[in-house]
Amino acid sequence: MSGHIMLTSHSRGSGAAAAHPIQWGAATPAQRGPIIASVSAPQHRNAIGTHSGSYAIYRALAVAAGNLDRGHRPDFTDTAPAEAIGPHPQWADARNIVSLDPYGHMVASAFAEQIAAGVDIRPTIAITKAHINMPELKAAIDAGRLRPDGQILMANGDVRVTKAAIDPVWYLPGVAERFGIKESLLRRNLFEQTGGMFPELITRSDLKVFLPPIGGMTLYFFGDITQLGKPETRVACRVHDECNGSDVFGSDICTCRPYLAHGIEVCIEMAQEGGVGLVVYNRKEGRALGEVTKFLVYNARKRQVGGDRAETYFARTECVAGVQDMRFQELMPDVFHWLGIRRIDRWASMSNMKHGALVEQGIEVVERVPIPDELIPADARVEMDAKVAAGYFATYTPAASDELALPKGRGLAE
Ligand SMILES: [Zn+2]
């Protein structure tokens, strides 16, 4: 290990960014150029931040503890995508995709020459295959809503899926444009709100790409994903923002897991009809406020005078967090451009924010599919009433204002 600390805040000599220029929105990987966020060879870097999102901190611990060689390079043998995605025409416009690298899954092949020459270039997307099984799907089979076909859905509830993991890669000018703000304002706030973690945000305006230390997303595909990008291919989709308490542990204060399971059901149906189903799972826990804030809000909701009720649902979040929501769906449509999707035939979501973001990006939504009433847990009625009253899409009539004042959630100790 070198005794010197290499500061990244100023470019050295001729500059790596000049040697490996990035032309964001170029039509081929060769024209676009590799994104190099290597920390073991800083002289090659042409991006701010580093790989693996927040897990970079565990990598630091592993190196510090002596468990990982700081110069380790991945061996990409047999890691190639299990299914091909793209290229799609949408990739060739810098404004379409600003928060992921459309070539992120092709890195090991597209930049094989540079990697062989010693440049540390890493994939930001990986694509594999799996079987999934959730008790709700077996229940849907037993209830006669889903029909096993032996191909996509098995009699025991197993479902064949293709899945893709995506780490975020932000093209800063594009992200700023999506929010209608100046790139310099975005950079300054990213710098300040991370406690000055990435000085290059301020000092290296020539570096336009940032790998932020946040969670990414996982895609679950149902059906033949090679049909994506064709105008005749029908698509069903659920965009789901992480809710660990409900998604994994079945906590009943919200509708997250029931809606996720319902979305998967809609996706399986679409795949069985020859279309493609897609679940996008974003790591944006608790409306991207995080679980600590979320649990504080739960307490405030249940302890407030008058009990847990719809009319104060958003206000209680705002008291604690300062805002109602930080998910900012503006970047969410990028993944549809990446997949070549211009139309979603069945959209399993009631969120007006997600719907609005898609329409803004020119993606047509044909049919919006709300969660069936019988799948909403009793304690989640507060959330559902509040969201529908605030403009979420639903097929049932929103509760009247006097009803929104009624406590419907359990007490804290019940
Ligand atoms: Zn939830």
Side-chain angles (χ1 to χ4, degrees), residues 186-241:
L186 174 66
R187 284 173 172 264
R188 185 188 173 135
N189 281 283
L190 287 169
F191 174 72
E192 289 179 349
Q193 294 302 320
T194 54
M197 205 173 188
F198 304 101
E200 308 102 303
L201 286 165
I202 304 301
T203 60
R204 295 290 306 275
S205 57
D206 58 317
L207 299 181
K208 298 295 186 188
V209 173
F210 175 44
L211 278 64
I214 57 175
M217 68 180 95
T218 312
L219 312 185
Y220 283 83
F221 298 95
F222 305 80
D224 179 7
I225 71 170
T226 62
Q227 299 305 309
L228 289 174
K230 299 178 182 171
E232 66 273 20
T233 302
R234 296 186 74 227
V235 174
C237 182
R238 161 93 187 143
V239 170
H240 192 87
D241 294 327

Side-chain angles (χ1 to χ4, degrees), residues 240-247 251 253-258 285-286 294 298 313 383 387:
H240 192 87
D241 294 327
E242 178 174 30
C243 173
N244 183 273
S246 172
D247 294 343
S251 165
I253 193 169
C254 55
T255 54
C256 299
R257 181 173 169 114
E285 175 61 55
K294 184 182 197 174
Y298 285 164
Y313 171 83
E383 174 195 288
K387 285 181 168 178

Side-chain angles (χ1 to χ4, degrees), residues 100-139:
L100 61 87
D101 174 5
Y103 302 107
H105 55 315
M106 301 179 175
V107 163
S109 56
F111 303 115
E113 225 170 275
Q114 290 97 320
I115 292 171
V119 184
D120 183 12
I121 309 169
R122 305 192 177 198
T124 53
I125 299 176
I127 304 165
T128 189
K129 283 177 176 290
H131 286 199
I132 63 167
N133 195 314
M134 292 168 76
E136 288 91 337
L137 300 176
K138 188 74 175 66

Side-chain angles (χ1 to χ4, degrees), residues 81 102 133 162 192 197 201 209 232 258-260 270 297 373 380 400 406:
N133 195 314
T162 301
E192 289 179 349
M197 205 173 188
L201 286 165
V209 173
E232 66 273 20
Y259 216 145
L260 179 60
M270 182 58 86
V297 171
D373 230 18
L406 297 175

Side-chain angles (χ1 to χ4, degrees), residues 253 295-309 312 316 407 409-414:
I253 193 169
F295 290 4
L296 295 173
V297 171
Y298 285 164
N299 283 347
R301 277 173 54 187
K302 296 204 172 274
R303 285 190 179 122
Q304 68 186 321
V305 176
D308 189 14
R309 58 201 193 275
T312 58
R316 288 280 75 78
R410 267 198 315 274
L412 193 56
E414 284 176 67

